[in-house]
Amino acid sequence: MKYKLSTAFICFVSLSTYSQLKECIPFNSFNQYSSVKEISRDFSFLEDNLYLNEKLKNEVLQLIVLRDEIKDLPKYSNLYRKGVSKGYCIYLINNTNDPVVLQGMDGAVLITRQVFHSGKWTSLKSSKKARRPICGNSFFSSRKISPNSYLSFVAPCIEGEVPVKMRFVLNKKSSSSNNLIISNSFDTFVHWSLLN
C-alpha cells in the first residue's frame, strides 16, 4: 500500500526541550563522513507523525531532523564498538513528482553536519584519530530517491560541552547552484576540537 505524504497525521510527537543523548560519539572518534547512518524505510511512522506532516512543503526535497524521535542504529554500524547504539532521526523526503539523484560515498547517501559558531555556519571537522584515507572513486557513487518517497537516517549526538546550533546538509548531484539540501537547525553540544 502506498501512502501519500500529504495525508493528515493522527498523533503528536513530544516537542519537549531536547537534551543530549546519553550515548554520544566520543569526540576523538567522530568522522564527518560516516556519522549518519541510513536505516530501513518505515511508512507507518510517516503516516502517524503530525509534526513531520506540518513541516512538509509541497513539491520540494526536504531534510528534516526530529531530535525527539530516537531510533536504534543499524546493527552493522561501526559506532556500536564505540558504545553508541541510538540517535535522533533524520528524514529525507522527496515530495516532488521527479526522482532526485543524490551525492553518495561508497554507496551511501552523504549527509554531513554543520554548526553555527563564531557568527557563521561551518562544517564540523573529523577528529584526527578518526580520519581515514578516502579514495576519489568513493564519491562517484550516487543514490536516487523516487518521487513521493523518503529515506530515513539515524545520527547520534557528539560528546562535548560547547553549546551550538547544528544542522545537516546533503548535496544533490546537480550542475545547478541550488544543489544543497539543508535541514532544520537545533540546539546541541560538540567538542571544541571539532570546530574549525
Side-chain angles (χ1 to χ4, degrees), residues 18-31 35-36 65 67 69-71 73 79 82-90 113 124 154-161 164 166 168 186-191 194:
Y18 176 73
S19 60
Q20 191 89 332
L21 292 171
K22 291 182 180 176
E23 297 178 358
C24 294
I25 301 171
F27 73 90
N28 58 0
S29 297
F30 174 73
N31 186 310
S35 70
V36 177
V65 179
R67 61 188 183 181
E69 192 69 29
I70 307 303
K71 288 205 174 180
L73 281 162
L79 294 173
K82 297 174 176 44
V84 183
S85 63
K86 299 181 184 302
Y88 35 78
C89 292
I90 303 173
R113 304 184 197 221
L124 281 183
V154 174
C157 56
I158 305 167
E159 178 183 83
E161 297 178 351
V164 292
M166 181 178 286
F168 291 83
F186 56 96
D187 295 319
T188 188
F189 302 91
V190 296
H191 194 268
L194 305 179

Side-chain angles (χ1 to χ4, degrees), residues 3 8 30 40 50-52 60 64 106 115 124 128-130 137 156 165-167 195:
Y3 296 104
F30 174 73
S40 61
L50 179 63
Y51 176 66
L52 189 59
V60 296
I64 300 176
D106 295 331
V115 293
L124 281 183
K128 289 181 181 178
K129 184 178 176 184
N137 291 332
K165 282 202 174 298
M166 181 178 286
R167 68 185 187 184
L195 298 170

